[in-house]
Structure formats: structure tokens, C-alpha cells
Amino acid sequence: MDIRVASIEDFATAVDWAAAEGWDPGLDDLEIFHGTDPSGFLMGYVGETPVSSISVVKYGGGYGFLGFYIVHPDFRGQGHGIATWNAGMAYLAECTIGLDGVVAQQDNYRQSGFVLTGRNIRHSGMPSRIGGGDKANCVVRAVQPDDLDAVADYDARHFPVPRDSFITGWILPDDPAPTRLSLIAIRDGEIKGLGTIRTCRTGNKIGPLFAEDALVAAALFDGLCSLIPDGAAVSLDTPEDNQSAVAMAVRAGLAPVFETARMYKGQAPDLPIGQIFGVTTFELG
């Protein structure tokens, strides 16, 4: 097997595999993912047939995130997965590494030195309005280009390292489309919350959803849900340790459908879990 750095076009195959596994990526995620670290997307080939994938994105600051670890079902059990894994781990050898591991793989990740820090639970369904946004004492509005520096600074408080290039493209791409819409909550001239909703192959996902408190999170959640058609499904990936986030998802009529384990190899970051109501993405953290 030959393991190669994958182009956007090549890695689109891995995104299709992820969709088949139930990960349901966003319609326009790949360009933003790949642009964050073009060298961090690997695929294994037997001849010219793609058989495996992994993303190992370096964010800078000695931090990387691992995702898209997939072997095509027709080629499993032949050693292609571990070879691809080893290539990805070598690329991130000098980094603290995060991942969101599915239940079936968590023991394997532990054997590679990863340590569990908490679960993330995907809640999905047809959302109901939570209400009470008026109590948040903030203004919720669309993100504008002039907001991007402040948005990146706010995001960096909720992620292990600054990720300006990724988050500005994620929040407000160069070529904005109705498949990705973002809101901020402002109080006293400062950002107190941030959220994005994006169209996926099935329904929509909210992420990130960062907020100073549950009232701001609820105001952003309602605002984001108002941007999609009535009756459209929504998913929100909530850290289990943020009980306010879990309660908000349940109150909105969403039900748990999927879980991952957030695991780290190296020094786990100290994140403000109480302000993380929705993980940005399972694939890149």
C-alpha cells in the first residue's frame, strides 16, 4: 500500500466514506477542512484504488487533531488501517493530539496512548424554540467581515490553540453560501456567544455553539434554528460534562443518537467546558 498526501479532490472519497459510516459531513466542509493544513490529509492506495484515509491537522502551537480514520470495508483486516494510522501519528509526532473516538475504537486509541477526558453526545431531531432569549440581555446578529478578528479571539478562548485561518473560513467563508450561516451575541460591545449552522447531507448541524451562559446559548440556538426551513432536522454535539448544554438540547426536543469520546495524547488542554454548548466538528475538533 502506498500512503500519499491527498488533494481536495482525492479526499472527497474519504468524505463519502464518512457519510456512509453515518458521520454526515457538511456540504461545504471539505474545502475549509483541507485548507487548514493541506499536508494533513492522507490516503492509502493499493495500486490506484483508494483503501484508507486519515486527517491529521496541525493547528500550530504544538496541537493537532486526528479524524477521518477510515478503511474501506472491502479492504479491512489486511493491515491497511494500522499503516495509515502510523503514518498519521508520525506526522503529528511532536504534537499534543486530540480526537473524537467512536465507541468501537476507544480501546485501540488507549493502547496508542490516548486518554479519555469526556464524552460528546450528538442530539438530533426537529427543534422546538427554547425561548427566553430576551433574558440573555444581548443582541444576536449575523457575523460580518469586520467581526472576524474579534470572533477569532473569542474562539481561541474555547479551543486549545488559536485557529484563526480555520475559524474565519468556517464562520464566514470567502464565498458565503446559504449552506453556512453564523451568529454572534453581543453585550456591552463584546462577543458573549458564537454559533454556526451548516447544511449537511441529512439535516443541519450547529457547531460551534460557544456562550457565556445558558441564556446566551439558548438565544443563539433559537436564532440559528430560525435560519433554516421549518421542519428541518438539527444536530448538536454537546459535551456531556456541560449539563446545561445537554438539558438545552433535550428541552429543544432533540434526542441522543450518537456519542464519541474526546481523547488526548499528550497534555490535555484545560477548556471552559461550561461555555462549550456545541462542539465545532468531530472531524477537526
Side-chain angles (χ1 to χ4, degrees):
M1 186 181 64
D2 180 28
I3 300 173
R4 312 172 194 166
V5 175
S7 67
I8 289 179
E9 293 75 17
D10 292 337
F11 210 78
T13 297
V15 175
D16 289 339
W17 292 345
E21 296 287 337
W23 285 71
D24 193 24
L27 295 182
D28 58 357
D29 286 356
L30 179 55
E31 184 173 352
I32 301 167
F33 284 167
H34 194 273
T36 303
D37 179 9
S39 298
F41 291 80
L42 309 179
M43 294 196 72
Y45 291 82
V46 172
E48 293 303 314
T49 301
V51 302
S52 62
S53 66
I54 197 168
S55 64
V56 279
V57 169
K58 290 182 179 178
Y59 279 107
Y63 181 71
F65 202 86
L66 186 152
F68 284 106
Y69 178 42
I70 307 169
V71 178
H72 189 280
D74 293 347
F75 293 90
R76 292 175 182 171
Q78 301 174 42
H80 303 317
I82 190 62
T84 306
W85 172 269
N86 289 339
M89 292 296 287
Y91 182 72
L92 293 178
E94 304 302 319
C95 298
T96 292
I97 308 169
L99 60 77
D100 278 307
V102 297
V103 173
Q105 291 293 332
Q106 288 169 23
D107 285 342
N108 291 333
Y109 297 144
R110 288 188 185 95
Q111 292 175 22
S112 293
F114 284 83
V115 177
L116 175 71
T117 60
R119 293 197 307 160
N120 293 318
I121 303 172
R122 175 163 295 168
H123 290 81
S124 299
M126 306 299 178
S128 302
R129 300 295 290 273
I130 301 172
D134 54 323
K135 298 178 182 177
N137 191 28
C138 61
V139 174
V140 174
R141 63 167 176 80
V143 175
Q144 302 297 327
D146 289 347
D147 298 320
L148 289 177
D149 286 345
V151 163
D153 288 344
Y154 182 78
D155 175 78
R157 303 177 205 168
H158 303 86
F159 197 73
V161 295
R163 51 175 179 174
D164 296 14
S165 176
F166 168 81
I167 202 64
T168 54
W170 188 261
I171 296 296
L172 194 63
D174 291 337
D175 185 16
T179 55
R180 182 180 301 273
L181 300 164
S182 300
L183 300 175
I184 48 176
I186 302 290
R187 183 192 300 146
D188 298 329
E190 296 184 356
I191 296 177
K192 299 298 183 181
L194 166 68
T196 294
I197 191 166
R198 70 194 197 279
T199 305
C200 298
R201 299 191 182 195
T202 304
N204 307 267
K205 282 201 189 87
I206 292 176
L209 182 56
F210 302 148
E212 183 174 271
D213 55 44
L215 292 174
V216 175
L220 282 167
F221 181 89
D222 279 352
L224 292 166
C225 290
S226 73
L227 299 176
I228 61 174
D230 290 341
V234 164
S235 293
L236 178 68
D237 299 330
T238 59
E240 183 184 41
D241 290 339
N242 184 345
Q243 287 299 302
S244 293
V246 174
M248 183 186 73
V250 172
R251 194 164 72 251
L254 309 183
V257 296
F258 186 74
E259 71 173 70
T260 68
R262 176 57 63 90
M263 307 178 81
Y264 293 97
K265 183 174 183 178
Q267 181 63 47
D270 183 17
L271 298 176
I273 293 297
Q275 297 181 12
I276 300 174
F277 288 79
V279 174
T280 306
T281 160
F282 285 158
E283 293 83 7
L284 262 70

